[in-house]
Amino acid sequence: MSADQVLDLSEWGDQLRRDPHPVYARLRELGPVHRVRLPAADGHYDTWLVVGYQEVRAALTDPRLANDGSRSGARPLDEELIGKYLLLADPPQHTRLRGLVARAFTMRRVEELRPRIQRITDDLLDEMLPRGRADLIDALAYPLPITVICELLGIPEMDRTEFRKMSTELVAPTSAEAEHDATVRLAEYFTGLIEDKRCAGPTGDLLSDLIRTTAEDGDRLSPGELRGMAYLLLIAGHETTVNLIGNAVLALLTHPAQLAALRADMSLLGGAVEEALRWEGPVETSAFRYAAEPLEIGGVRIERGDRVLVGLTAAQRDAARYAEPDRFDIRRDTRGHLAFGHGIHYCLGAPLARLEGRIAIGTLLERAPGLTLDGEPGEWLPGMLMRGVRSLPVRW
């Protein structure tokens, strides 16, 4: 296959949404990097797609691949309406922004949240379990992380049904118009919220702290940067964890021997969560990278300005890195998995997501010993950013 050939992934139809792993396996057989055409809300787009583990890991740390699209003439919609945030920034701006917020996500600060996360989980299960059956996404996987991140940020109780629609539209858009509308509405919401908090004075929550955070050199976040940070932390802070919990429970329920092994030895819970992250992680591809200069990836030349998608899900099933990669094995050595990325853009909230996942899944299995699927899972999210099901019917 020539380096300039474009592979139209829409030819695989709905399989790319339902089960992309055979598609990625076929691509890896042909090579680690491909020029592909992908369906989008407003038509289609061409991009480079990296699918080999070693090439993905290297691409995530290559400074020639910029997250800031302006370095190649591009400017994402959310940056125009929301403001600059971590996933759209490169050093030194990225270093500055991350430094101003990283203190809120240290292992110590996250561990302090354990009792509250446990309490929220218990309350949700108290409400869910007497019913005998439920959609696990609606009953646990969604409300737990959205409650935790809203409390952490200091966001008041909001219409979660409406917010969920907007959030899902951003990570899995159904149309360009709907995506634009959701972005505008969230930008307006965060602008008002930040102004309210600025006027109210310190309240001890993360957003209030960020408004008043000053670095040693006197640096502070601008209004646009505050809005961008709130947007990123709220969206990324719950969407990934929803899918982590949903995908992990689905993997366990469809692999009864692994579920039985975990029930027999709950010390395997940490390994089960990590294997679920590798086997069916919540993020399918990275945010777009842009070639700031010509470079080669996997022997393929990428020209300046080209867009690059780094395939996290594809890399996790690369047999060159993990033996029998399609086998779900909670005792597997999963070190080096890329579910949370790699390098300077490694997910800031990974410790929090892991803690929520372990508490939610562990408590669910302890309190619902007869847990099983109650029909087919809902459809997988569209697009190639998030990997998760819209619903997960279970009974016990």
Side-chain angles (χ1 to χ4, degrees):
M1 184 184 68
S2 63
D4 59 352
Q5 182 179 347
V6 179
L7 297 176
D8 188 349
L9 296 191
S10 65
E11 293 178 0
W12 272 275
D14 196 45
Q15 181 182 350
L16 195 61
R17 176 197 290 203
R18 289 183 290 103
D19 184 10
H21 303 292
V23 178
Y24 291 143
R26 175 61 180 150
L27 291 179
R28 284 194 304 271
E29 290 175 1
L30 299 173
V33 182
H34 300 278
R35 187 74 174 168
V36 298
R37 179 161 297 151
L38 297 171
D42 56 351
H44 68 267
Y45 61 90
D46 292 354
T47 182
W48 292 102
L49 176 64
V50 187
V51 295
Y53 177 88
Q54 290 298 339
E55 291 76 15
V56 163
R57 188 176 174 91
L60 290 171
T61 59
D62 195 325
R64 297 170 297 179
L65 290 176
N67 280 57
D68 185 347
S70 65
R71 290 173 61 184
S72 64
R75 195 178 188 206
L77 170 68
D78 45 3
E79 182 180 346
E80 293 181 14
L81 298 174
I82 298 287
K84 181 72 76 175
Y85 55 89
L86 287 170
L87 287 181
L88 304 179
D90 299 310
Q93 186 178 33
H94 174 271
T95 308
R96 168 181 163 267
L97 291 173
R98 190 167 178 119
L100 287 168
V101 72
R103 69 191 72 178
F105 291 93
T106 62
M107 290 297 294
R108 180 182 62 81
R109 289 286 296 273
V110 167
E111 190 60 32
E112 289 172 356
L113 295 172
R114 178 183 290 274
R116 180 59 184 148
I117 295 171
Q118 185 66 63
R119 175 62 184 273
I120 296 168
T121 301
D122 287 335
D123 288 347
L124 290 169
L125 291 178
D126 286 345
E127 182 178 348
M128 181 185 97
L129 290 176
R131 303 201 301 264
R133 57 178 45 178
D135 172 6
L136 194 73
I137 304 298
D138 280 343
L140 179 64
Y142 175 74
L144 171 61
I146 193 62
T147 301
V148 171
I149 198 64
C150 283
E151 290 185 358
L152 183 63
L153 286 171
I155 294 176
E157 189 80 18
M158 64 175 88
D159 184 341
R160 289 181 182 167
T161 300
E162 190 62 23
F163 173 76
R164 186 178 180 186
K165 290 178 183 176
M166 290 189 289
S167 176
T168 303
E169 191 62 49
L170 293 174
V171 300
T174 56
S175 72
E177 294 76 15
E179 180 184 15
H180 182 274
D181 180 60
T183 306
V184 169
R185 291 167 66 193
L186 275 176
E188 292 172 347
Y189 175 79
F190 286 129
T191 298
L193 179 64
I194 290 167
E195 185 57 32
D196 289 346
K197 285 186 173 293
R198 197 186 302 278
C199 295
T203 54
D205 59 75
L206 176 55
L207 193 51
S208 179
D209 289 347
L210 287 174
I211 291 170
R212 293 161 183 84
T213 291
T214 304
E216 292 181 2
D217 61 359
D219 184 26
R220 302 182 74 169
L221 292 168
S222 70
E225 289 169 342
L226 279 167
R227 190 169 55 242
M229 194 69 75
Y231 168 82
L232 175 65
L233 293 175
L234 184 59
I235 301 297
H238 88 275
E239 285 284 358
T240 52
T241 310
V242 172
N243 295 329
L244 185 163
I245 295 169
N247 294 355
V249 172
L250 179 58
L252 288 166
L253 294 181
T254 52
H255 294 81
Q258 296 297 307
L259 176 58
L262 177 57
R263 287 192 179 282
D265 182 3
M266 288 300 289
S267 71
L268 296 173
L269 179 60
V273 169
E274 296 307 309
E275 173 66 344
L277 284 166
R278 180 204 71 85
W279 193 75
E280 198 76 273
V283 182
E284 188 164 347
T285 63
S286 71
F288 273 119
R289 268 38 174 198
Y290 302 87
E293 61 183 81
L295 71 151
E296 278 197 5
I297 305 176
V300 175
R301 181 174 173 83
I302 312 293
E303 298 296 342
R304 182 182 184 280
D306 283 358
R307 292 190 295 188
V308 178
L309 271 181
V310 184
L312 305 179
T313 289
Q316 309 282 54
R317 300 280 190 106
D318 189 342
R321 176 62 182 85
Y322 296 105
E324 298 181 80
D326 293 326
R327 180 170 57 88
F328 180 70
D329 180 2
I330 64 173
R331 294 184 174 87
R332 182 192 297 274
D333 182 354
T334 59
R335 282 178 294 182
H337 79 65
L338 303 171
F340 292 115
H342 179 58
I344 65 169
H345 289 282
Y346 183 82
C347 178
L348 195 64
L352 179 58
R354 283 186 163 107
L355 180 60
E356 291 181 68
R358 289 195 296 266
I359 289 175
I361 296 164
T363 308
L364 173 67
L365 294 182
E366 288 173 0
R367 296 188 57 183
L371 189 71
T372 186
L373 287 174
D374 190 30
E376 289 295 316
E379 68 175 3
W380 290 87
L381 294 172
M384 292 185 64
L385 179 59
M386 291 292 175
R387 181 83 184 135
V389 290
R390 293 192 186 275
S391 63
L392 184 58
V394 292
R395 56 185 171 84
W396 46 91

